[in-house]
Amino acid sequence: MQISLQQQLKQGRQYIEFWPAQPELLNYFAEYRAVIVSRFVLKYGAPLAALAFLLPILFIGVEQLKQALFYALFIGSLPVQSLFLMYNKSKEPLPPSLKSWYKNGVEKIKDKPVDTEFSLIKPTFLDLAKLLHFSYHRIG
């Protein structure tokens, strides 16, 4: 089934938003580093692109217009690139070590009222992010 680019970017943003902003997650999940970088790029990508365009023109002159435009377009495209990469990461199945940890976590919260569906068959990184989001915001 084909998913449009807009839907892919939307799911990438959802994946980023599901990860709780907890510093201790850096110690356990390498994926969290990419989430932190993506949050930074989404927040500061547009202002940095504007600076990359304006500063060379202001300080060096109009002869730097092509280079300034190139750098601004590259920096301006980083938020879209990060959302697309996060979408791809969200679809990846969990490795065996995380899969067993994920299944144990789902078993522990089965008796709690859950409004999110947790997949036990082929869990993905998006499912892991949902479990962590639920754990930090509903339980803890």
Side-chain angles (χ1 to χ4, degrees), residues 8-10 12-13 16 37-49 72-87:
Q8 291 176 6
L9 298 178
K10 185 178 178 181
R13 182 175 288 278
I16 292 170
V37 170
S38 294
R39 285 179 180 160
F40 177 84
V41 166
L42 288 172
K43 189 173 184 179
Y44 297 112
L48 288 175
L73 287 174
F74 174 72
I75 294 171
S77 72
L78 288 177
V80 175
Q81 292 177 40
S82 70
L83 287 176
F84 185 69
L85 290 172
M86 291 294 103
Y87 163 74

Side-chain angles (χ1 to χ4, degrees), residues 111-123:
D111 56 337
K112 307 238 186 304
V114 180
D115 58 352
T116 305
E117 194 68 31
F118 296 106
S119 171
L120 289 175
I121 303 168
K122 294 186 180 181

Side-chain angles (χ1 to χ4, degrees), residues 1-50:
M1 183 169 101
Q2 291 283 60
I3 295 180
S4 71
L5 181 61
Q6 183 179 8
Q7 290 172 330
Q8 291 176 6
L9 298 178
K10 185 178 178 181
Q11 186 174 337
R13 182 175 288 278
Q14 286 175 343
Y15 178 67
I16 292 170
E17 290 171 355
F18 272 126
W19 277 93
Q22 301 295 329
E24 63 267 11
L25 293 177
L26 278 172
N27 298 329
Y28 303 109
F29 304 104
E31 297 77 21
Y32 190 61
R33 294 181 202 282
V35 170
I36 290 173
V37 170
S38 294
R39 285 179 180 160
F40 177 84
V41 166
L42 288 172
K43 189 173 184 179
Y44 297 112
L48 288 175

Side-chain angles (χ1 to χ4, degrees), residues 48-121:
L48 288 175
L51 281 176
F53 181 71
L54 292 175
L55 288 179
I57 293 173
L58 290 175
F59 290 111
I60 299 172
V62 180
E63 61 271 2
Q64 295 296 318
L65 182 63
K66 289 181 185 177
Q67 289 176 335
L69 184 60
F70 173 77
Y71 288 130
L73 287 174
F74 174 72
I75 294 171
S77 72
L78 288 177
V80 175
Q81 292 177 40
S82 70
L83 287 176
F84 185 69
L85 290 172
M86 291 294 103
Y87 163 74
N88 286 333
K89 187 64 174 179
S90 73
K91 293 188 326 181
E92 286 183 19
L94 291 175
S97 60
L98 281 179
K99 191 183 293 186
S100 63
W101 183 87
Y102 169 83
K103 287 182 179 181
N104 288 338
V106 171
E107 289 296 321
K108 288 181 182 178
I109 64 167
K110 268 196 170 174
D111 56 337
K112 307 238 186 304
V114 180
D115 58 352
T116 305
E117 194 68 31
F118 296 106
S119 171
L120 289 175
I121 303 168

